[in-house]
Amino acid sequence: MTFKNYIKKIHLWLGLSSGIIVIILGITGCLYSFEEELRPIIHDYYYVDQVKNKKLPISQLIAIAQEANKKIHPNQTLSGGRILNDDKRTVIIWFFEESDKDAIWYWNQYQNTYVYIDPYTGNIKKFENYNSEFFVFVRMLHQTLCFNSKIGDPITGTATIIFIISLITGLILWWPKNKSAVKQRFWFQWKNTTKWKRKNYDLHNILGYYMLIFALIIALTGLVWAFECYDKGVQWLFNGGKTIKKEKLVSDTTQYSKNTATDKIYAATVKANPKAKSFYLFLPKEEDSLATFQTFVRYKNRFDDISMDFDQSTAKLLRVTTYKDKSGGEKFRFLNYDLHVGSILGFPGKVLAFFASLVSASLPITGLLIWWGRKNKKKMSSR
């Protein structure tokens, strides 16, 4: 057997072994590409009934949501919230409860409730079961096949590694032997007489070639969530071979109070970032007097995002972390999601990621048809 024949065998059997999972990952990747744009269109409870002159204090909104959710989910604890810098949008308050961390399916591991509340009236628009939301289901199917992470991550991660190898072996097989074959490898040369087998072969080879780099980026960034060792290894590499530990801040225990300075903290965050897209509040647990109150500020440009740490009782600003303040590994990890979904290039990047995912999902199908056609051709010729 020649070198290319060995590569062909490797390409074939790897493709057949991981094909179904790659199809699932590709299709769910397509569906999730525009989740940020589609969610406000699908869910009407993302919007208030009427814009008014004055909003209620964020602490009051949290208290209303907490009291209402406790009647339905008494064991869930308050974990944070999100406020969009848009007068038409509702405020989101999060509640969390761990059910069974060893459960097989992700929806049995924990229960999250998102309470959507009108900031002008305090009326609750929706109690959303986080695990049942459509795009959450799509993301978990994409990430773990809906299993818990201990089961699902190795499965999708292994399939992704096989897919990466398939892309590389596919490029080797695609590489033209001579100049006369170059033209056919770069674009479709279809005629009215072109048979479906040839069209299928071209779809597999030509589309696979053009989306190769983008599919590799999506696959390599996806491995970060699948394997912790890969995540740490890549960060270590970007840190120049060093493991960097971030200094942990603590609140002033001498002034600790259960009545946290939530309103002051939120007001300070907004004042420092008036043009931000949204604000995330990560509330410390009531029993943790040392924890800081963290806020995360999201801008349209990912490089402008910042995080802020406050003393949970005095509202004193303890630290501001910008993108420039992060280590090389932290910078990579911070941008990994945006690289994975293409949003680092804005909407055009998401479109590109969508088509790369679509082509990736089609490759196992067109590849199977090529193999099936050749297999039947051999059977016919042997008769």
Side-chain angles (χ1 to χ4, degrees):
M1 292 178 68
T2 64
F3 172 72
K4 273 205 170 183
N5 283 333
Y6 279 114
I7 295 298
K8 190 180 291 183
K9 289 287 185 181
I10 294 171
H11 185 76
L12 169 63
W13 292 111
L14 288 181
L16 290 175
S17 65
S18 64
I20 293 176
I21 297 176
V22 171
I23 292 169
I24 293 172
L25 298 183
I27 293 173
T28 51
C30 289
L31 291 172
Y32 202 75
S33 295
F34 302 104
E35 59 88 20
E36 190 175 354
E37 289 79 14
L38 292 174
R39 268 181 168 150
I41 298 174
I42 297 172
H43 303 314
D44 59 353
Y45 50 85
Y46 275 36
Y47 295 92
V48 300
D49 295 323
Q50 184 181 357
V51 176
K52 297 183 179 181
N53 294 327
K54 189 177 180 180
K55 295 181 179 180
L56 298 175
I58 190 66
S59 60
Q60 187 176 345
L61 296 175
I62 291 173
I64 293 171
Q66 195 168 17
E67 184 179 353
N69 190 65
K70 193 173 183 179
K71 295 177 182 178
I72 307 172
H73 308 104
N75 296 323
Q76 290 187 354
T77 58
L78 176 67
S79 58
R82 183 189 182 197
I83 305 98
L84 281 92
N85 201 359
D86 183 346
D87 292 336
K88 297 178 182 178
R89 296 292 293 270
T90 51
V91 170
I92 312 167
I93 309 298
W94 308 321
F95 296 89
F96 174 81
E97 176 189 359
E98 186 175 80
S99 302
D100 182 5
K101 64 179 181 179
D102 297 320
I104 294 176
W105 306 104
Y106 84 91
W107 53 74
N108 291 329
Q109 283 188 291
Y110 56 86
Q111 299 297 320
N112 271 9
T113 300
Y114 279 25
V115 179
Y116 292 80
I117 185 168
D118 190 319
Y120 300 100
T121 63
N123 293 332
I124 294 175
K125 299 278 289 182
K126 177 76 174 181
F127 290 93
E128 181 186 78
N129 184 342
Y130 178 82
N131 291 343
S132 300
E133 201 271 335
F134 174 74
F135 286 105
V136 174
F137 171 77
V138 170
R139 180 173 64 83
M140 295 309 297
L141 184 60
H142 180 80
Q143 189 171 338
T144 66
L145 301 179
C146 290
F147 293 112
N148 72 42
S149 58
K150 291 181 181 179
I151 299 173
D153 284 344
I155 296 173
T156 56
T158 302
T160 302
I161 292 173
I162 293 173
F163 178 65
I164 291 170
I165 299 172
S166 297
L167 289 173
I168 296 170
T169 55
L171 179 62
I172 295 171
L173 294 173
W174 172 91
W175 204 265
K177 295 180 180 179
N178 49 60
K179 292 182 180 180
S180 61
V182 170
K183 191 175 182 180
Q184 289 184 333
R185 300 295 173 93
F186 279 106
W187 199 244
F188 304 99
Q189 304 294 315
W190 293 349
K191 300 177 182 178
N192 292 333
T193 56
T194 304
K195 295 182 179 180
W196 75 267
K197 286 185 178 180
R198 181 66 204 189
K199 291 180 178 179
N200 180 73
Y201 181 83
D202 287 346
L203 287 170
H204 186 80
N205 283 273
I206 297 172
L207 292 181
Y209 169 76
Y210 281 111
M211 288 296 166
L212 175 68
I213 297 299
F214 307 110
L216 277 174
I217 292 172
I218 291 173
L220 290 169
T221 51
L223 287 176
V224 166
W225 292 285
F227 300 111
E228 186 179 358
C229 58
Y230 176 83
D231 182 14
K232 290 182 178 179
V234 173
Q235 290 193 54
W236 178 84
L237 186 65
F238 277 90
N239 282 332
K242 298 178 182 178
T243 301
I244 300 175
K245 293 184 178 181
K246 192 173 183 179
E247 180 188 359
K248 186 177 180 180
L249 299 177
V250 296
S251 290
D252 186 354
T253 55
T254 60
Q255 298 188 50
Y256 173 70
S257 170
K258 288 186 178 180
N259 299 317
T260 59
T262 307
D263 293 327
K264 290 182 180 179
I265 290 171
Y266 174 62
T269 304
V270 174
K271 185 178 180 180
N273 306 276
K275 296 183 179 180
K277 184 179 179 181
S278 57
F279 307 94
Y280 293 81
L281 308 180
F282 299 100
L283 282 71
K285 294 180 180 179
E286 287 189 10
E287 65 273 15
D288 193 349
S289 62
L290 295 177
T292 60
F293 191 121
Q294 295 181 324
T295 64
F296 178 75
V297 184
R298 183 73 191 268
Y299 282 85
K300 289 184 179 180
N301 188 335
R302 196 80 164 98
F303 297 97
D304 294 330
D305 292 356
I306 67 169
S307 60
M308 305 173 74
D309 289 85
F310 295 86
D311 187 294
Q312 64 169 289
S313 58
T314 65
K316 179 183 177 182
L317 180 61
L318 302 176
R319 178 171 60 194
V320 177
T321 306
T322 67
Y323 180 78
K324 293 180 180 179
D325 298 325
K326 298 178 182 293
S327 65
E330 288 175 325
K331 287 178 179 178
F332 159 76
R333 194 63 176 85
F334 186 70
L335 296 176
N336 187 74
Y337 175 81
D338 298 86
L339 287 167
H340 188 68
V341 301
S343 60
I344 195 167
L345 298 177
F347 188 78
K350 290 187 176 185
V351 173
L352 193 58
F354 173 87
F355 282 108
S357 297
L358 186 63
V359 171
S360 297
S362 73
L363 291 176
I365 299 172
T366 53
L368 178 64
L369 292 174
I370 292 171
W371 171 74
W372 188 261
R374 287 175 176 173
K375 185 180 179 182
N376 288 339
K377 186 177 180 180
K378 288 180 180 178
K379 284 183 179 180
M380 293 295 291
S381 62
S382 63
R383 289 179 182 178

